[in-house]
């Protein structure tokens, strides 16, 4: 894993991707830091970070689009897949390299509260808690982007799909208002979600039998629950959508409170998408 990590980390600085990513992050953070903290003397960087979560919509697709898709396109992934190293170590090595590239600008951003301190009193706890939340939010988005990159050999497709995923997560609060909490509406959405899950399962397994069987079972269970006790569906869609509200979890750090539930949420999402990436690569290894 160490060799994979070093190789991957070096590749980001031999190409322009690492530099473009860091330039974009520094530029956006710098503009908002100048506007909020220096111009208006706001004593915490939390307001700046809370206002720039949109940067992940562009920065993460740029950073993750090539991590697995490029090797798949150039067939260099065959060298890795036939090497005497586990897929888990390959994927984790790549993820840690991505995390390191992201950690570099975050380390510089960690110095910003010290700049603010030179102008007066500040709350170090509130500032660094917000930075911690922003760091975890970025790592979570990176895990999602890496998984999407493992699904295709086209970097542009990977970047576009990652952007869409980031955009949906970014707009999830607004999207929640478009759905009613009635049992009937929630049941309809649940039926669609079951079909989408079955389609995703087929994409991962290439087995009509497995995907079809799971899809049918899920649809039957959904119908039975609706017939027996429809009230269980009330507010169900909103609850499901809230599971993808990454930005909402980050906002709990903005006030200076270390939210253990939010930390557990971010770490869980990272684990799930790294695991899914491993399974996606494993599928190619044995196909």
């Amino acid at each position: 894993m160490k060799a994979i990590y070093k190789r991957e980390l070096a590749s980001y600085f031999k190409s322009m991707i690492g530099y473009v990513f860091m330039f974009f992050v520094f530029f956006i953070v710098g503009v908002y830091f100048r506007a909020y903290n220096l111009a208006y003397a706001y004593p915490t960087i939390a307001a700046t970070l809370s206002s720039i979560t949109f940067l992940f919509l562009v920065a993460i697709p740029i950073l993750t689009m090539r991590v697995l898709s490029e090797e798949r396109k150039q067939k260099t992934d065959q060298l890795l897949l036939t090497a005497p190293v586990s897929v888990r170590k390959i994927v984790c090595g790549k993820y840690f390299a991505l995390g390191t590239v992201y950690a570099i600008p975050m380390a510089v951003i960690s110095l910003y509260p010290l700049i603010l301190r030179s102008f007066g009193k500040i709350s170090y706890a509130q500032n660094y808690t917000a930075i911690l939340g922003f760091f975890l939010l970025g790592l979570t988005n990176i895990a999602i982007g890496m998984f999407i990159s493992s699904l295709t050999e086209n970097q542009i497709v990977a970047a576009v799909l990652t952007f869409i995923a980031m955009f949906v997560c970014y707009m999830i609060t607004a999207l929640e208002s478009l759905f009613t909490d009635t049992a009937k509406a929630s049941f309809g959405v649940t039926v669609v979600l079951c079909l989408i899950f079955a389609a995703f399962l087929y994409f991962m397994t290439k087995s009509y039998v497995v995907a079809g069987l799971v899809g049918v079972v899920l649809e039957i269970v959904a119908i039975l629950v609706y017939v027996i006790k429809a009230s269980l569906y009330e507010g169900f869609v909103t609850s499901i959508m809230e599971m993808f509200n990454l930005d909402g979890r980050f906002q709990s750090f903005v006030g200076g409170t270390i939210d253990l539930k939010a930390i557990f949420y971010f770490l869980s999402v990272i684990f799930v998408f790294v695991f899914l990436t491993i399974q996606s690569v494993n599928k190619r290894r044995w196909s």
Side-chain angles (χ1 to χ4, degrees), residues 122-144:
I122 66 168
S123 171
Y124 284 111
Q126 185 175 8
N127 277 276
Y128 285 105
T129 298
I131 291 174
L132 171 63
F134 195 76
F135 182 59
L136 290 173
L137 177 62
L139 292 179
T140 303
N141 285 320
I142 287 173
I144 296 173

Side-chain angles (χ1 to χ4, degrees), residues 33 37-38 41-43 112-122:
F33 182 74
N37 299 106
L38 299 184
Y42 206 76
Y112 286 14
L114 301 180
I115 298 176
L116 296 178
R117 180 64 182 84
S118 64
F119 295 100
K121 294 182 179 180
I122 66 168

Side-chain angles (χ1 to χ4, degrees), residues 217-234:
V217 171
L218 289 177
E219 295 290 4
I220 292 175
V221 171
I223 294 172
L224 287 176
V225 171
Y226 183 73
V227 171
I228 296 173
K229 194 172 183 179
S231 60
L232 292 176
Y233 278 104
E234 294 179 359

Side-chain angles (χ1 to χ4, degrees), residues 28-215:
I28 297 297
V29 174
V31 169
Y32 277 78
F33 182 74
R34 171 69 176 80
Y36 283 112
N37 299 106
L38 299 184
Y40 291 99
Y42 206 76
T44 174
I45 197 175
T48 296
L49 298 180
S50 179
S51 301
I52 64 170
T53 53
F54 68 87
L55 73 82
F56 292 122
L57 298 178
V58 178
I60 297 303
I62 290 174
L63 183 63
T64 62
M65 64 182 184
R66 59 165 291 277
V67 63
L68 288 166
S69 61
E70 183 181 37
E71 292 191 355
R72 184 174 178 180
K73 180 179 181 179
Q74 297 181 353
K75 307 302 181 184
T76 54
D77 63 331
Q78 301 300 321
L79 298 175
L80 291 175
L81 297 179
T82 56
V85 59
S86 67
V87 172
R88 176 182 60 82
K89 291 182 178 180
I90 293 173
V91 172
C92 289
K94 288 178 174 290
Y95 178 73
F96 290 143
L98 289 167
T100 300
V101 175
Y102 175 57
I104 293 174
M106 288 304 304
V108 176
I109 292 172
S110 296
L111 300 177
Y112 286 14
L114 301 180
I115 298 176
L116 296 178
R117 180 64 182 84
S118 64
F119 295 100
K121 294 182 179 180
I122 66 168
S123 171
Y124 284 111
Q126 185 175 8
N127 277 276
Y128 285 105
T129 298
I131 291 174
L132 171 63
F134 195 76
F135 182 59
L136 290 173
L137 177 62
L139 292 179
T140 303
N141 285 320
I142 287 173
I144 296 173
M146 185 175 68
F147 167 66
I148 294 175
S149 179
S150 72
L151 301 177
T152 177
E153 63 180 28
N154 190 309
Q155 293 185 50
I156 303 301
V157 172
V160 171
L161 292 177
T162 302
F163 171 82
I164 293 173
M166 300 295 98
F167 183 75
V168 170
C169 292
Y170 181 73
M171 296 295 295
I172 200 71
T173 301
L175 292 174
E176 287 179 6
S177 63
L178 300 178
F179 293 90
T180 63
D181 289 334
T182 63
K184 186 176 181 180
S186 296
F187 170 69
V189 174
T190 302
V191 170
V192 174
L193 290 177
C194 290
L195 293 175
I196 293 175
F197 180 78
F200 173 76
L201 194 61
Y202 169 73
F203 180 82
M204 295 296 294
T205 64
K206 299 300 181 183
S207 172
Y208 285 110
V209 176
V210 173
L213 183 60
V214 171

